[in-house]
Amino acid sequence: QEKYLRLQLKTRLEIERQTKELAGLQEQRQILQDISDDDTIGFIAREKAVEDARLKAIEFGKKEVALAKLKEELAFQAIRQDLIREGIDVTKIKNSEQLIKLLEQENIAKKVSNENDEAFTQAYAERREAEVESESFKRDQEEKFRKTARDAFEQELDILEEFTELKIASNLEI
């Protein structure tokens, strides 16, 4: 029990720290995202902004998932403590999926406090959502990078075509 309380305090402090850090990262990610969406800036600057936004999105996603996992671990441990107090052997329960499977047994599920059950369910869902959102945002950024590269290539072709037409026209005059 004492070990769990120390873990709980340490985890709550870490959650607080990571939440603050994530807020700062989210702001940086949004600024870079806004710059990368700006069609009025040059291709080189935009391409760099898209890449910077992609990297920041990956970093943000990893940290968001890590924070969600930390919250899930805290809720997981709280339910384990409920079950230990009820005399249930939880030594084989190592992850959330195993715990969910165990809680499918009604007689065991009744031994878990509603508060801990709700916290675990929410934390589990938040982690899954953070993982999906992180992957989705990463794919969006990769698509934006490809489109920006394509636009830059098309602009280069337009410039070359115009230059070639001017060169042909000047040669014809000679």
PDB file of all heavy atoms in Angstrom, residues 112-142:
ATOM      1  N   VAL A 112     -14.083  -3.602  -7.554  1.00  0.00           N
ATOM      2  CA  VAL A 112     -13.348  -2.396  -7.934  1.00  0.00           C
ATOM      3  C   VAL A 112     -14.241  -1.186  -7.670  1.00  0.00           C
ATOM      4  O   VAL A 112     -15.428  -1.199  -7.998  1.00  0.00           O
ATOM      5  CB  VAL A 112     -12.960  -2.445  -9.431  1.00  0.00           C
ATOM      6  CG1 VAL A 112     -12.319  -1.154  -9.891  1.00  0.00           C
ATOM      7  CG2 VAL A 112     -12.036  -3.626  -9.689  1.00  0.00           C
ATOM      8  N   SER A 113     -13.661  -0.144  -7.081  1.00  0.00           N
ATOM      9  CA  SER A 113     -14.459   1.051  -6.816  1.00  0.00           C
ATOM     10  C   SER A 113     -14.887   1.687  -8.137  1.00  0.00           C
ATOM     11  O   SER A 113     -14.165   1.639  -9.131  1.00  0.00           O
ATOM     12  CB  SER A 113     -13.652   2.062  -5.988  1.00  0.00           C
ATOM     13  OG  SER A 113     -12.685   2.708  -6.790  1.00  0.00           O
ATOM     14  N   ASN A 114     -16.080   2.276  -8.117  1.00  0.00           N
ATOM     15  CA  ASN A 114     -16.602   2.926  -9.325  1.00  0.00           C
ATOM     16  C   ASN A 114     -15.663   4.033  -9.798  1.00  0.00           C
ATOM     17  O   ASN A 114     -15.453   4.205 -10.994  1.00  0.00           O
ATOM     18  CB  ASN A 114     -17.998   3.512  -9.071  1.00  0.00           C
ATOM     19  CG  ASN A 114     -19.060   2.431  -9.013  1.00  0.00           C
ATOM     20  OD1 ASN A 114     -18.858   1.322  -9.502  1.00  0.00           O
ATOM     21  ND2 ASN A 114     -20.185   2.747  -8.405  1.00  0.00           N
ATOM     22  N   GLU A 115     -15.112   4.775  -8.852  1.00  0.00           N
ATOM     23  CA  GLU A 115     -14.214   5.885  -9.194  1.00  0.00           C
ATOM     24  C   GLU A 115     -12.986   5.375  -9.944  1.00  0.00           C
ATOM     25  O   GLU A 115     -12.599   5.931 -10.973  1.00  0.00           O
ATOM     26  CB  GLU A 115     -13.783   6.606  -7.916  1.00  0.00           C
ATOM     27  CG  GLU A 115     -12.860   7.783  -8.151  1.00  0.00           C
ATOM     28  CD  GLU A 115     -12.446   8.437  -6.843  1.00  0.00           C
ATOM     29  OE1 GLU A 115     -13.306   8.654  -5.973  1.00  0.00           O
ATOM     30  OE2 GLU A 115     -11.241   8.726  -6.720  1.00  0.00           O
ATOM     31  N   ASN A 116     -12.384   4.308  -9.432  1.00  0.00           N
ATOM     32  CA  ASN A 116     -11.198   3.752 -10.092  1.00  0.00           C
ATOM     33  C   ASN A 116     -11.546   3.127 -11.439  1.00  0.00           C
ATOM     34  O   ASN A 116     -10.780   3.241 -12.401  1.00  0.00           O
ATOM     35  CB  ASN A 116     -10.503   2.724  -9.198  1.00  0.00           C
ATOM     36  CG  ASN A 116      -9.784   3.375  -8.041  1.00  0.00           C
ATOM     37  OD1 ASN A 116      -9.493   4.565  -8.068  1.00  0.00           O
ATOM     38  ND2 ASN A 116      -9.508   2.604  -7.015  1.00  0.00           N
ATOM     39  N   ASP A 117     -12.707   2.485 -11.501  1.00  0.00           N
ATOM     40  CA  ASP A 117     -13.148   1.879 -12.752  1.00  0.00           C
ATOM     41  C   ASP A 117     -13.353   2.956 -13.824  1.00  0.00           C
ATOM     42  O   ASP A 117     -12.891   2.815 -14.956  1.00  0.00           O
ATOM     43  CB  ASP A 117     -14.439   1.092 -12.539  1.00  0.00           C
ATOM     44  CG  ASP A 117     -14.878   0.352 -13.793  1.00  0.00           C
ATOM     45  OD1 ASP A 117     -14.008  -0.216 -14.484  1.00  0.00           O
ATOM     46  OD2 ASP A 117     -16.085   0.359 -14.086  1.00  0.00           O
ATOM     47  N   GLU A 118     -14.017   4.044 -13.460  1.00  0.00           N
ATOM     48  CA  GLU A 118     -14.258   5.139 -14.401  1.00  0.00           C
ATOM     49  C   GLU A 118     -12.938   5.795 -14.818  1.00  0.00           C
ATOM     50  O   GLU A 118     -12.751   6.112 -15.994  1.00  0.00           O
ATOM     51  CB  GLU A 118     -15.197   6.176 -13.791  1.00  0.00           C
ATOM     52  CG  GLU A 118     -16.630   5.705 -13.688  1.00  0.00           C
ATOM     53  CD  GLU A 118     -17.528   6.676 -12.926  1.00  0.00           C
ATOM     54  OE1 GLU A 118     -17.117   7.833 -12.704  1.00  0.00           O
ATOM     55  OE2 GLU A 118     -18.638   6.265 -12.558  1.00  0.00           O
ATOM     56  N   ALA A 119     -12.039   5.997 -13.859  1.00  0.00           N
ATOM     57  CA  ALA A 119     -10.739   6.612 -14.173  1.00  0.00           C
ATOM     58  C   ALA A 119      -9.946   5.734 -15.131  1.00  0.00           C
ATOM     59  O   ALA A 119      -9.334   6.236 -16.086  1.00  0.00           O
ATOM     60  CB  ALA A 119      -9.943   6.857 -12.893  1.00  0.00           C
ATOM     61  N   PHE A 120      -9.969   4.426 -14.899  1.00  0.00           N
ATOM     62  CA  PHE A 120      -9.245   3.511 -15.773  1.00  0.00           C
ATOM     63  C   PHE A 120      -9.855   3.498 -17.178  1.00  0.00           C
ATOM     64  O   PHE A 120      -9.134   3.575 -18.180  1.00  0.00           O
ATOM     65  CB  PHE A 120      -9.240   2.090 -15.194  1.00  0.00           C
ATOM     66  CG  PHE A 120      -8.596   1.089 -16.108  1.00  0.00           C
ATOM     67  CD1 PHE A 120      -7.229   1.075 -16.291  1.00  0.00           C
ATOM     68  CD2 PHE A 120      -9.375   0.171 -16.801  1.00  0.00           C
ATOM     69  CE1 PHE A 120      -6.631   0.154 -17.154  1.00  0.00           C
ATOM     70  CE2 PHE A 120      -8.787  -0.741 -17.660  1.00  0.00           C
ATOM     71  CZ  PHE A 120      -7.415  -0.751 -17.831  1.00  0.00           C
ATOM     72  N   THR A 121     -11.169   3.415 -17.246  1.00  0.00           N
ATOM     73  CA  THR A 121     -11.851   3.396 -18.544  1.00  0.00           C
ATOM     74  C   THR A 121     -11.538   4.666 -19.331  1.00  0.00           C
ATOM     75  O   THR A 121     -11.227   4.615 -20.517  1.00  0.00           O
ATOM     76  CB  THR A 121     -13.374   3.249 -18.350  1.00  0.00           C
ATOM     77  OG1 THR A 121     -13.626   2.035 -17.633  1.00  0.00           O
ATOM     78  CG2 THR A 121     -14.113   3.223 -19.671  1.00  0.00           C
ATOM     79  N   GLN A 122     -11.579   5.801 -18.659  1.00  0.00           N
ATOM     80  CA  GLN A 122     -11.291   7.075 -19.312  1.00  0.00           C
ATOM     81  C   GLN A 122      -9.826   7.139 -19.758  1.00  0.00           C
ATOM     82  O   GLN A 122      -9.525   7.550 -20.880  1.00  0.00           O
ATOM     83  CB  GLN A 122     -11.611   8.244 -18.389  1.00  0.00           C
ATOM     84  CG  GLN A 122     -11.347   9.588 -19.026  1.00  0.00           C
ATOM     85  CD  GLN A 122     -11.680  10.748 -18.120  1.00  0.00           C
ATOM     86  OE1 GLN A 122     -12.253  10.572 -17.047  1.00  0.00           O
ATOM     87  NE2 GLN A 122     -11.327  11.937 -18.536  1.00  0.00           N
ATOM     88  N   ALA A 123      -8.923   6.734 -18.889  1.00  0.00           N
ATOM     89  CA  ALA A 123      -7.496   6.781 -19.224  1.00  0.00           C
ATOM     90  C   ALA A 123      -7.171   5.834 -20.377  1.00  0.00           C
ATOM     91  O   ALA A 123      -6.386   6.178 -21.272  1.00  0.00           O
ATOM     92  CB  ALA A 123      -6.658   6.425 -17.994  1.00  0.00           C
ATOM     93  N   TYR A 124      -7.771   4.674 -20.371  1.00  0.00           N
ATOM     94  CA  TYR A 124      -7.561   3.711 -21.454  1.00  0.00           C
ATOM     95  C   TYR A 124      -8.041   4.294 -22.782  1.00  0.00           C
ATOM     96  O   TYR A 124      -7.328   4.248 -23.794  1.00  0.00           O
ATOM     97  CB  TYR A 124      -8.291   2.395 -21.137  1.00  0.00           C
ATOM     98  CG  TYR A 124      -8.110   1.321 -22.174  1.00  0.00           C
ATOM     99  CD1 TYR A 124      -6.949   0.560 -22.224  1.00  0.00           C
ATOM    100  CD2 TYR A 124      -9.108   1.068 -23.113  1.00  0.00           C
ATOM    101  CE1 TYR A 124      -6.775  -0.437 -23.182  1.00  0.00           C
ATOM    102  CE2 TYR A 124      -8.944   0.078 -24.077  1.00  0.00           C
ATOM    103  CZ  TYR A 124      -7.779  -0.667 -24.096  1.00  0.00           C
ATOM    104  OH  TYR A 124      -7.613  -1.643 -25.056  1.00  0.00           O
ATOM    105  N   ALA A 125      -9.236   4.862 -22.762  1.00  0.00           N
ATOM    106  CA  ALA A 125      -9.799   5.467 -23.980  1.00  0.00           C
ATOM    107  C   ALA A 125      -8.952   6.652 -24.448  1.00  0.00           C
ATOM    108  O   ALA A 125      -8.722   6.821 -25.653  1.00  0.00           O
ATOM    109  CB  ALA A 125     -11.239   5.907 -23.732  1.00  0.00           C
ATOM    110  N   GLU A 126      -8.481   7.472 -23.510  1.00  0.00           N
ATOM    111  CA  GLU A 126      -7.646   8.625 -23.866  1.00  0.00           C
ATOM    112  C   GLU A 126      -6.329   8.177 -24.507  1.00  0.00           C
ATOM    113  O   GLU A 126      -5.856   8.800 -25.453  1.00  0.00           O
ATOM    114  CB  GLU A 126      -7.357   9.485 -22.642  1.00  0.00           C
ATOM    115  CG  GLU A 126      -8.516  10.348 -22.213  1.00  0.00           C
ATOM    116  CD  GLU A 126      -8.242  11.150 -20.955  1.00  0.00           C
ATOM    117  OE1 GLU A 126      -7.070  11.193 -20.495  1.00  0.00           O
ATOM    118  OE2 GLU A 126      -9.192  11.731 -20.416  1.00  0.00           O
ATOM    119  N   ARG A 127      -5.758   7.106 -23.983  1.00  0.00           N
ATOM    120  CA  ARG A 127      -4.507   6.610 -24.575  1.00  0.00           C
ATOM    121  C   ARG A 127      -4.741   6.132 -25.999  1.00  0.00           C
ATOM    122  O   ARG A 127      -3.995   6.476 -26.908  1.00  0.00           O
ATOM    123  CB  ARG A 127      -3.905   5.477 -23.755  1.00  0.00           C
ATOM    124  CG  ARG A 127      -2.607   4.970 -24.422  1.00  0.00           C
ATOM    125  CD  ARG A 127      -2.056   3.667 -23.913  1.00  0.00           C
ATOM    126  NE  ARG A 127      -2.951   2.592 -23.690  1.00  0.00           N
ATOM    127  CZ  ARG A 127      -3.179   1.613 -24.581  1.00  0.00           C
ATOM    128  NH1 ARG A 127      -2.624   1.619 -25.772  1.00  0.00           N
ATOM    129  NH2 ARG A 127      -3.969   0.614 -24.262  1.00  0.00           N
ATOM    130  N   ARG A 128      -5.781   5.360 -26.192  1.00  0.00           N
ATOM    131  CA  ARG A 128      -6.080   4.855 -27.543  1.00  0.00           C
ATOM    132  C   ARG A 128      -6.346   6.019 -28.502  1.00  0.00           C
ATOM    133  O   ARG A 128      -5.868   6.036 -29.620  1.00  0.00           O
ATOM    134  CB  ARG A 128      -7.286   3.907 -27.506  1.00  0.00           C
ATOM    135  CG  ARG A 128      -7.106   2.686 -26.603  1.00  0.00           C
ATOM    136  CD  ARG A 128      -6.312   1.615 -27.190  1.00  0.00           C
ATOM    137  NE  ARG A 128      -7.027   1.138 -28.355  1.00  0.00           N
ATOM    138  CZ  ARG A 128      -6.444   0.458 -29.329  1.00  0.00           C
ATOM    139  NH1 ARG A 128      -5.186   0.154 -29.248  1.00  0.00           N
ATOM    140  NH2 ARG A 128      -7.127   0.057 -30.366  1.00  0.00           N
ATOM    141  N   GLU A 129      -7.098   7.004 -28.025  1.00  0.00           N
ATOM    142  CA  GLU A 129      -7.408   8.178 -28.839  1.00  0.00           C
ATOM    143  C   GLU A 129      -6.138   8.973 -29.169  1.00  0.00           C
ATOM    144  O   GLU A 129      -5.962   9.437 -30.299  1.00  0.00           O
ATOM    145  CB  GLU A 129      -8.408   9.073 -28.099  1.00  0.00           C
ATOM    146  CG  GLU A 129      -8.898  10.251 -28.905  1.00  0.00           C
ATOM    147  CD  GLU A 129      -9.907  11.073 -28.137  1.00  0.00           C
ATOM    148  OE1 GLU A 129     -10.821  10.490 -27.528  1.00  0.00           O
ATOM    149  OE2 GLU A 129      -9.775  12.311 -28.156  1.00  0.00           O
ATOM    150  N   ALA A 130      -5.251   9.128 -28.206  1.00  0.00           N
ATOM    151  CA  ALA A 130      -3.998   9.860 -28.425  1.00  0.00           C
ATOM    152  C   ALA A 130      -3.138   9.146 -29.467  1.00  0.00           C
ATOM    153  O   ALA A 130      -2.523   9.796 -30.315  1.00  0.00           O
ATOM    154  CB  ALA A 130      -3.222  10.006 -27.111  1.00  0.00           C
ATOM    155  N   GLU A 131      -3.121   7.819 -29.421  1.00  0.00           N
ATOM    156  CA  GLU A 131      -2.344   7.061 -30.406  1.00  0.00           C
ATOM    157  C   GLU A 131      -2.910   7.254 -31.814  1.00  0.00           C
ATOM    158  O   GLU A 131      -2.164   7.497 -32.767  1.00  0.00           O
ATOM    159  CB  GLU A 131      -2.331   5.573 -30.041  1.00  0.00           C
ATOM    160  CG  GLU A 131      -1.513   5.268 -28.809  1.00  0.00           C
ATOM    161  CD  GLU A 131      -1.684   3.848 -28.295  1.00  0.00           C
ATOM    162  OE1 GLU A 131      -2.693   3.173 -28.627  1.00  0.00           O
ATOM    163  OE2 GLU A 131      -0.793   3.393 -27.561  1.00  0.00           O
ATOM    164  N   VAL A 132      -4.228   7.178 -31.933  1.00  0.00           N
ATOM    165  CA  VAL A 132      -4.876   7.338 -33.233  1.00  0.00           C
ATOM    166  C   VAL A 132      -4.682   8.760 -33.752  1.00  0.00           C
ATOM    167  O   VAL A 132      -4.343   8.971 -34.923  1.00  0.00           O
ATOM    168  CB  VAL A 132      -6.381   6.985 -33.140  1.00  0.00           C
ATOM    169  CG1 VAL A 132      -7.138   7.412 -34.388  1.00  0.00           C
ATOM    170  CG2 VAL A 132      -6.557   5.494 -32.888  1.00  0.00           C
ATOM    171  N   GLU A 133      -4.887   9.740 -32.886  1.00  0.00           N
ATOM    172  CA  GLU A 133      -4.738  11.144 -33.279  1.00  0.00           C
ATOM    173  C   GLU A 133      -3.308  11.454 -33.708  1.00  0.00           C
ATOM    174  O   GLU A 133      -3.074  12.164 -34.692  1.00  0.00           O
ATOM    175  CB  GLU A 133      -5.140  12.043 -32.111  1.00  0.00           C
ATOM    176  CG  GLU A 133      -5.171  13.514 -32.452  1.00  0.00           C
ATOM    177  CD  GLU A 133      -5.607  14.360 -31.278  1.00  0.00           C
ATOM    178  OE1 GLU A 133      -6.589  13.999 -30.616  1.00  0.00           O
ATOM    179  OE2 GLU A 133      -4.953  15.389 -31.044  1.00  0.00           O
ATOM    180  N   SER A 134      -2.349  10.916 -32.990  1.00  0.00           N
ATOM    181  CA  SER A 134      -0.952  11.137 -33.320  1.00  0.00           C
ATOM    182  C   SER A 134      -0.632  10.602 -34.711  1.00  0.00           C
ATOM    183  O   SER A 134       0.012  11.277 -35.524  1.00  0.00           O
ATOM    184  CB  SER A 134      -0.064  10.460 -32.276  1.00  0.00           C
ATOM    185  OG  SER A 134       1.287  10.569 -32.620  1.00  0.00           O
ATOM    186  N   GLU A 135      -1.073   9.401 -35.010  1.00  0.00           N
ATOM    187  CA  GLU A 135      -0.830   8.802 -36.332  1.00  0.00           C
ATOM    188  C   GLU A 135      -1.544   9.586 -37.429  1.00  0.00           C
ATOM    189  O   GLU A 135      -0.987   9.815 -38.503  1.00  0.00           O
ATOM    190  CB  GLU A 135      -1.286   7.340 -36.356  1.00  0.00           C
ATOM    191  CG  GLU A 135      -0.279   6.395 -35.769  1.00  0.00           C
ATOM    192  CD  GLU A 135       1.067   6.452 -36.473  1.00  0.00           C
ATOM    193  OE1 GLU A 135       1.132   6.357 -37.720  1.00  0.00           O
ATOM    194  OE2 GLU A 135       2.073   6.610 -35.767  1.00  0.00           O
ATOM    195  N   SER A 136      -2.756  10.007 -37.153  1.00  0.00           N
ATOM    196  CA  SER A 136      -3.532  10.760 -38.136  1.00  0.00           C
ATOM    197  C   SER A 136      -2.863  12.093 -38.458  1.00  0.00           C
ATOM    198  O   SER A 136      -2.733  12.475 -39.631  1.00  0.00           O
ATOM    199  CB  SER A 136      -4.946  10.995 -37.604  1.00  0.00           C
ATOM    200  OG  SER A 136      -5.671  11.826 -38.477  1.00  0.00           O
ATOM    201  N   PHE A 137      -2.418  12.799 -37.428  1.00  0.00           N
ATOM    202  CA  PHE A 137      -1.773  14.087 -37.631  1.00  0.00           C
ATOM    203  C   PHE A 137      -0.461  13.909 -38.391  1.00  0.00           C
ATOM    204  O   PHE A 137      -0.127  14.697 -39.272  1.00  0.00           O
ATOM    205  CB  PHE A 137      -1.533  14.776 -36.285  1.00  0.00           C
ATOM    206  CG  PHE A 137      -1.304  16.254 -36.411  1.00  0.00           C
ATOM    207  CD1 PHE A 137      -2.363  17.127 -36.537  1.00  0.00           C
ATOM    208  CD2 PHE A 137      -0.024  16.769 -36.420  1.00  0.00           C
ATOM    209  CE1 PHE A 137      -2.164  18.481 -36.672  1.00  0.00           C
ATOM    210  CE2 PHE A 137       0.202  18.123 -36.556  1.00  0.00           C
ATOM    211  CZ  PHE A 137      -0.877  18.987 -36.676  1.00  0.00           C
ATOM    212  N   LYS A 138       0.253  12.843 -38.071  1.00  0.00           N
ATOM    213  CA  LYS A 138       1.514  12.545 -38.764  1.00  0.00           C
ATOM    214  C   LYS A 138       1.259  12.317 -40.255  1.00  0.00           C
ATOM    215  O   LYS A 138       1.974  12.856 -41.108  1.00  0.00           O
ATOM    216  CB  LYS A 138       2.162  11.311 -38.128  1.00  0.00           C
ATOM    217  CG  LYS A 138       3.477  10.924 -38.738  1.00  0.00           C
ATOM    218  CD  LYS A 138       4.020   9.693 -38.043  1.00  0.00           C
ATOM    219  CE  LYS A 138       5.195   9.109 -38.774  1.00  0.00           C
ATOM    220  NZ  LYS A 138       5.601   7.821 -38.246  1.00  0.00           N
ATOM    221  N   ARG A 139       0.215  11.551 -40.592  1.00  0.00           N
ATOM    222  CA  ARG A 139      -0.118  11.306 -41.994  1.00  0.00           C
ATOM    223  C   ARG A 139      -0.521  12.609 -42.700  1.00  0.00           C
ATOM    224  O   ARG A 139      -0.137  12.841 -43.853  1.00  0.00           O
ATOM    225  CB  ARG A 139      -1.241  10.276 -42.111  1.00  0.00           C
ATOM    226  CG  ARG A 139      -0.780   8.851 -41.909  1.00  0.00           C
ATOM    227  CD  ARG A 139      -1.857   7.850 -42.290  1.00  0.00           C
ATOM    228  NE  ARG A 139      -3.124   8.053 -41.621  1.00  0.00           N
ATOM    229  CZ  ARG A 139      -3.425   7.590 -40.410  1.00  0.00           C
ATOM    230  NH1 ARG A 139      -2.548   6.879 -39.745  1.00  0.00           N
ATOM    231  NH2 ARG A 139      -4.606   7.808 -39.877  1.00  0.00           N
ATOM    232  N   ASP A 140      -1.287  13.460 -42.014  1.00  0.00           N
ATOM    233  CA  ASP A 140      -1.677  14.749 -42.595  1.00  0.00           C
ATOM    234  C   ASP A 140      -0.461  15.601 -42.923  1.00  0.00           C
ATOM    235  O   ASP A 140      -0.395  16.231 -43.975  1.00  0.00           O
ATOM    236  CB  ASP A 140      -2.592  15.524 -41.639  1.00  0.00           C
ATOM    237  CG  ASP A 140      -3.981  14.927 -41.526  1.00  0.00           C
ATOM    238  OD1 ASP A 140      -4.330  14.062 -42.349  1.00  0.00           O
ATOM    239  OD2 ASP A 140      -4.715  15.333 -40.593  1.00  0.00           O
ATOM    240  N   GLN A 141       0.506  15.619 -42.009  1.00  0.00           N
ATOM    241  CA  GLN A 141       1.709  16.414 -42.231  1.00  0.00           C
ATOM    242  C   GLN A 141       2.535  15.850 -43.385  1.00  0.00           C
ATOM    243  O   GLN A 141       3.112  16.607 -44.167  1.00  0.00           O
ATOM    244  CB  GLN A 141       2.563  16.476 -40.956  1.00  0.00           C
ATOM    245  CG  GLN A 141       1.976  17.339 -39.883  1.00  0.00           C
ATOM    246  CD  GLN A 141       1.850  18.795 -40.312  1.00  0.00           C
ATOM    247  OE1 GLN A 141       2.260  19.204 -41.371  1.00  0.00           O
ATOM    248  NE2 GLN A 141       1.264  19.596 -39.466  1.00  0.00           N
ATOM    249  N   GLU A 142       2.596  14.548 -43.493  1.00  0.00           N
ATOM    250  CA  GLU A 142       3.336  13.935 -44.591  1.00  0.00           C
ATOM    251  C   GLU A 142       2.683  14.270 -45.926  1.00  0.00           C
ATOM    252  O   GLU A 142       3.370  14.551 -46.915  1.00  0.00           O
ATOM    253  CB  GLU A 142       3.432  12.420 -44.386  1.00  0.00           C
ATOM    254  CG  GLU A 142       4.384  12.043 -43.264  1.00  0.00           C
ATOM    255  CD  GLU A 142       4.315  10.590 -42.869  1.00  0.00           C
ATOM    256  OE1 GLU A 142       3.402   9.866 -43.341  1.00  0.00           O
ATOM    257  OE2 GLU A 142       5.165  10.161 -42.066  1.00  0.00           O
TER     258      GLU A 142
END
